[in-house]
Amino acid sequence: MKNLSFIFVALAFVAGAYLTSLDEKTVQWAYFIPVVVLGFIGAFIYKSTANKEAKHGDLLQNNKQVLILSMNRILKNLETLNGKKENIPTYDMRFEIDKLFRDDLLSFADARDSMKHLFGIQHFADIMSSFAAGERYINRVWSASTDGYVDEVLLYVGRAYEQFQHAQEEFNKALAEHS
Amino acid sequence: MSEQHAAGPITRGAYPELTPHAVIVGYFLGIVLAVSIGYASLKLGFSIEGSELAAILGFGILRGLLRRRSIVENNVTQTVASAVNGASSGMMFSVPAIFILGYGTSFNPYVLTFGAIAGAFLGIAFIIPLRKQMIDYERLTYPGGVAVASILKSPGAGISKALFLMIAMLVSGLVHVITLYTGVENWHLFDQLGLPNYLNGTWYLSLMTVGVAFIAGRGGLAFIIGGFVCYWGLAPLLDLTNSFPVNEAGEQITDPNQLRLMLFRPTGIGMLIGGAIVGVMFALPLIKSAVKSMHSSAKAESAMSKDEMPIKLLYMAVVGAAVLLCVMAVTSAEEVGIVRGLMMAVLGTLWIWMAGIILSEAIGRTNWSPLSGMTLIAVTLLIMVTQTFGGMNTGPAIVAAVTVGAATCVAMSQATDLMLDLKTGYLVGATPRQQQMGQFIGAWLGPIVIIVLIFTLDKAFGLGSDEFPAPQGQALASMVEGITGGDVPTEKYVAGALLGGLLSMLQAGLGITVGLGFYLPFNIVLTYAVGTLIREVVDRTKGKSWSESKGIPIAAGLIVGEALVGVGNAVYVIMKAG
């Protein structure tokens, strides 16, 4: 049904675009309006089918696991890094970051849209706000490490850890509300 | 406080970010860029986004000459410089039109400059709450922003990545030199194959376009679809049904560029607007959540809230700039009056917000900004306001509409520039508040520099002359003449808006990106498709991590190499022409 309605919308779009291309200024509304109305009906069916699928599909459950696992790994790695940060040479910190976090940050970000269906928009916004700030702090550690600013590196490893702790709190709160 | 370490000096203390060095170098570079890009724009008819150049030049000055070492400070310099330069694209498209139309002595340059500054602040203030939605939540790509981040990060990215970037820069620059030297900028493949003209199989020979598409990845797919629908879908259908438009001699028009301007572009502009309206409707809950999230983190006084400009300050900036826009509209021409001025200010403010979203989405997904189309719509709407309540005379109506239009154009230009810089900032770990402050610090200067440049060149050579043809201004002037003569393809805009809305119902941003494919020349789309295809193949064969770690530095090099040669060539052409 979803694919069918998608094809229907695509055809309505092409037909509508063709009707607008027949003249430099005018549009044949008598044909155009029914075509576009049918397109909007198709789009409505597509949207509602897609929403239903997104709420009940395997993808959602898989993404939920990805979100939980990647968030846990990021936090665990940050905790470890924060504990031994004084012992890591400043210029090496960026290599630790690339090694420890890049894949999990990417996985979480790739799966993030499922949170809208799992927890609702406001929870999504709260979690992503904290996650994005945490990721930005990690990026800052990387930059400061490149430039050799040791205090900044130490400070922002701690801040990133706190930020991801907050992100996980938000995530767990949303998870508890919707379990 | 520095001590030598095996890998380099270790520095204690705060990491330099929004420093006097960053601002002063930013001002210097911003003025140089605004004057040179503004000058080139009047001479050659193109204007470029200044972030890449500002980042590289800032890199050279801060690291090379001043021996400073801070990626985020470099990022603020780039933000300040490109904020100053934002006025060059914003004003060079609009203001010369007043001179070309013969009203150069009928407008108040102080009001226009004042309004452009108000517009710049309005554009920045509006876009700040959208940062969360577009960068933090939607994670739009902003290929240009990613390229700049690759440059800023190159000192620490390792020798191999820096080498990839440099080699790609050289190759791309060399290819661009060859295309410029030989004058062969396009490869007319389909002509050589004997295929019909309307199919438009001409490839733009630009490695920068390939690089942009590689970074955008699948985000740019809809843009390609839009172009292919026009020239490989609709054009053959028009041929089959014998429906091509005809010229005065009764011959069918099959030239792809004429088809684009006559048939596809107006629909594309409508699609951008319709796509944005539906997109905003769907994104409204998320935008509200972003603002709510900013409010709640401000109340909790978390570290995250200190990274953002206070939301109340932004509300004040929006209201204050809108009031200034109103003052400007009322004083732009005697006949405007309070009611029309108020209507122009409200319309201008709303349009800045809407167009800011359209442009940020477009540049975020594809790196192409339909700024000219958005300015055209702004001027059209403003002229419509001047024709209400009995209607103003043509001259004052044009002066008022283009004056307020210039302010909206600067605002839109600032909004996209800031978004691009904020994306770079996200990737290098900059603090958004510092960058936003940098943008405000830089934005007021550009309109002053540009208005002085415009008046100087007009006095010396005359804008619209052979010496300074100001092609963008001429395009707007002819459009304005068309609008005042009642020649507006309103029906195509409306139909396009419905089609754009239909697509955006399926997926956020779809209407805007497909509309951009209708709007831009197809030779760009074709080459862009190559970059998208390469990214897809590389992702599947070498893996996404290879694309991220090696592919993106290469693509960034391709963008920067061509941009540098392009600007160098503009300077060469201008100097040669005297």
Side-chain angles (χ1 to χ4, degrees):
Chain A
M1 191 65 175
K2 195 176 129 194
N3 290 340
L4 203 66
S5 53
F6 182 84
I7 292 167
F8 194 71
V9 176
L11 288 174
F13 170 74
V14 173
Y18 171 71
L19 289 168
T20 61
S21 306
L22 291 173
D23 191 86
E24 229 182 302
K25 290 196 184 112
T26 59
V27 174
Q28 296 184 14
W29 296 108
Y31 298 108
F32 182 85
I33 288 174
V35 165
V36 170
V37 168
L38 287 173
F40 272 101
I41 292 169
F44 181 76
I45 295 169
Y46 174 86
K47 200 79 187 166
S48 55
T49 317
N51 277 346
K52 273 180 200 159
E53 273 183 25
K55 280 177 185 162
H56 299 291
D58 289 341
L59 180 74
L60 200 67
Q61 291 313 311
N62 287 341
N63 280 348
K64 189 176 169 182
Q65 287 310 308
V66 170
L67 290 165
I68 293 169
L69 284 174
S70 49
M71 177 65 89
N72 285 343
R73 271 201 298 261
I74 291 168
L75 209 60
K76 190 169 166 282
N77 287 335
L78 261 175
E79 190 180 8
T80 312
L81 194 68
N82 196 35
K84 62 176 186 182
K85 63 185 177 188
E86 307 277 355
N87 303 324
I88 299 173
T90 306
Y91 280 93
D92 289 348
M93 192 60 98
R94 64 182 189 270
F95 303 120
E96 290 291 313
I97 284 171
D98 287 338
K99 194 173 70 188
L100 291 173
F101 300 108
R102 292 294 173 215
D103 289 341
D104 285 320
L105 289 170
L106 207 62
S107 302
F108 190 92
D110 283 346
R112 72 189 184 284
D113 274 343
S114 291
M115 286 192 288
K116 288 180 196 167
H117 305 294
L118 284 165
F119 311 136
I121 291 286
Q122 190 57 53
H123 280 303
F124 169 82
D126 292 339
I127 296 163
M128 282 310 293
S129 287
S130 297
F131 174 86
E135 188 182 21
R136 190 159 43 77
Y137 291 164
I138 287 179
N139 292 340
R140 192 178 178 88
V141 174
W142 194 100
S143 295
S145 158
T146 297
D147 292 328
Y149 278 82
V150 60
D151 293 341
E152 192 78 1
V153 168
L154 299 178
L155 177 69
Y156 271 86
V157 167
R159 281 198 181 172
Y161 179 49
E162 285 166 19
Q163 201 58 57
F164 274 103
Q165 274 183 318
H166 187 252
Q168 195 179 43
E169 276 170 27
E170 293 286 344
F171 187 83
N172 289 341
K173 198 164 77 183
L175 209 57
E177 273 182 36
H178 292 86
S179 59
Chain B
M1 288 295 276
S2 291
E3 60 187 84
Q4 198 60 36
H5 183 265
I10 294 292
T11 307
R12 296 218 158 260
Y15 195 30
E17 199 164 2
L18 181 61
T19 60
H21 298 81
V23 174
I24 292 165
V25 175
Y27 277 154
F28 169 71
L29 288 176
I31 292 170
V32 170
L33 288 175
V35 170
S36 50
I37 293 175
Y39 194 93
S41 172
L42 289 175
K43 194 99 185 164
L44 309 169
F46 80 87
S47 88
I48 55 166
E49 216 288 314
S51 291
E52 286 102 336
L53 274 175
I56 290 182
L57 296 173
F59 193 92
I61 294 174
L62 289 170
R63 283 191 183 259
L65 294 177
L66 303 177
R67 300 282 166 207
R68 296 182 69 79
R69 292 175 299 106
S70 170
I71 290 171
V72 290
E73 186 184 43
N74 206 154
N75 184 221
V76 170
T77 295
Q78 159 217 327
T79 307
V80 174
S82 62
V84 177
N85 177 54
S88 69
S89 55
M91 289 171 80
M92 285 310 182
F93 185 76
S94 48
V95 182
I98 304 182
F99 288 87
I100 291 163
L101 288 165
Y103 301 106
T105 53
S106 312
F107 79 99
N108 185 336
Y110 297 103
V111 170
L112 191 137
T113 311
F114 185 61
I117 294 170
F121 287 172
L122 198 53
I124 298 168
F126 267 152
I127 213 70
I128 287 173
L130 293 176
R131 184 197 75 82
K132 256 187 185 298
Q133 190 232 336
M134 291 188 177
I135 294 177
D136 288 1
Y137 303 165
E138 281 193 50
R139 297 172 77 91
L140 295 186
T141 320
Y142 293 97
V146 175
V148 173
S150 291
I151 294 161
L152 296 183
K153 289 168 80 174
S154 60
I159 289 172
S160 67
K161 283 182 197 171
L163 211 61
F164 282 138
L165 194 135
M166 289 301 295
I167 291 170
M169 260 175 78
L170 287 173
V171 170
S172 171
L174 190 68
V175 168
H176 199 48
V177 166
I178 293 168
T179 59
L180 290 170
Y181 183 73
T182 57
V184 182
E185 288 188 26
N186 290 295
W187 176 34
H188 305 283
L189 175 65
F190 282 19
D191 280 356
Q192 289 169 355
L193 294 174
L195 290 167
N197 191 19
Y198 59 76
L199 282 179
N200 199 359
T202 296
W203 304 71
Y204 179 41
L205 299 175
S206 156
L207 288 178
M208 177 169 81
T209 308
V210 175
V212 165
F214 185 91
I215 295 176
R218 286 184 190 178
L221 200 61
F223 166 56
I224 299 167
I225 291 170
F228 277 78
V229 165
C230 289
Y231 301 95
W232 291 10
L234 299 179
L237 271 176
L238 291 173
D239 186 29
L240 277 174
T241 53
N242 206 23
S243 308
F244 279 122
V246 287
N247 60 19
E248 284 167 0
E251 295 159 341
Q252 283 197 331
I253 298 170
T254 55
D255 173 60
N257 200 42
Q258 277 187 283
L259 291 178
R260 180 176 78 90
L261 296 175
M262 291 167 74
L263 304 180
F264 305 138
R265 199 172 112 136
T267 309
I269 290 176
M271 285 172 70
L272 294 171
I273 298 165
I277 292 170
V278 173
V280 167
M281 279 161 58
F282 278 110
L284 213 53
L286 205 55
I287 296 170
K288 275 166 70 181
S289 300
V291 173
K292 201 174 161 189
S293 184
M294 284 168 89
H295 274 291
S296 57
S297 59
K299 268 183 198 162
E301 291 190 344
S302 62
M304 191 172 71
S305 74
K306 292 185 182 116
D307 289 351
E308 303 278 355
M309 295 272 283
I311 192 89
K312 280 181 188 164
L313 195 71
L314 297 181
Y315 295 149
M316 280 164 61
V318 169
V319 173
V323 170
L324 287 177
L325 208 60
C326 184
V327 172
M328 179 204 176
V330 171
T331 51
S332 61
E334 270 183 36
E335 287 181 43
V336 173
I338 298 284
V339 178
R340 279 202 199 99
L342 204 63
M343 283 170 70
M344 288 174 90
V346 170
L347 200 65
T349 306
L350 285 174
W351 185 245
I352 288 169
W353 183 62
M354 180 58 75
I357 292 172
I358 295 172
L359 295 171
S360 298
E361 281 269 352
I363 209 164
R365 290 178 195 274
T366 65
N367 214 44
W368 304 110
S369 160
L371 183 65
S372 58
M374 295 302 103
T375 307
L376 167 66
I377 295 288
V379 174
T380 307
L381 292 172
L382 291 165
I383 287 180
M384 282 163 72
V385 172
T386 64
Q387 300 311 308
T388 53
F389 309 115
M392 290 167 62
N393 290 327
T394 309
I398 289 173
V399 168
V402 178
T403 307
V404 181
T408 60
C409 197
V410 171
M412 293 184 272
S413 167
Q414 288 291 339
T416 48
D417 171 61
L418 178 58
M419 256 346 203
L420 211 68
D421 291 336
L422 285 169
K423 178 68 183 188
T424 306
Y426 186 91
L427 297 172
V428 300
T431 314
R433 180 201 285 251
Q434 309 275 18
Q435 283 190 274
Q436 289 152 0
M437 287 296 293
Q439 192 82 15
F440 276 118
I441 288 169
W444 66 271
L445 185 56
I448 297 169
V449 172
I450 293 297
I451 202 79
V452 170
L453 181 71
I454 286 175
F455 267 86
T456 308
L457 293 178
D458 184 61
K459 203 169 178 183
F461 305 103
L463 296 184
S465 63
D466 288 347
E467 194 73 27
F468 282 93
Q472 293 161 317
Q474 285 200 11
L476 185 66
S478 65
M479 284 171 189
V480 167
E481 279 173 333
I483 296 162
T484 48
D487 187 20
V488 184
T490 315
E491 290 193 22
K492 287 176 83 75
Y493 287 160
V494 173
L498 288 168
L499 292 173
L502 173 65
L503 292 182
S504 280
M505 257 191 87
L506 288 185
Q507 193 194 329
L510 193 62
I512 294 176
T513 348
V514 174
L516 206 58
F518 274 58
Y519 178 88
L520 285 172
F522 192 53
N523 60 345
I524 292 175
V525 179
L526 273 178
T527 309
Y528 189 95
V530 174
T532 309
L533 187 67
I534 293 173
R535 175 64 183 265
E536 200 57 34
V537 171
V538 169
D539 275 355
R540 284 165 192 245
T541 53
K542 289 188 171 288
K544 281 187 180 176
S545 62
W546 193 95
S547 292
E548 292 282 336
S549 64
K550 299 205 171 57
I552 286 178
I554 294 171
L558 295 180
I559 295 170
V560 175
E562 189 172 320
L564 288 179
V565 170
V567 174
N569 179 59
V571 172
Y572 170 72
V573 170
I574 290 161
M575 285 173 72
K576 204 175 153 191

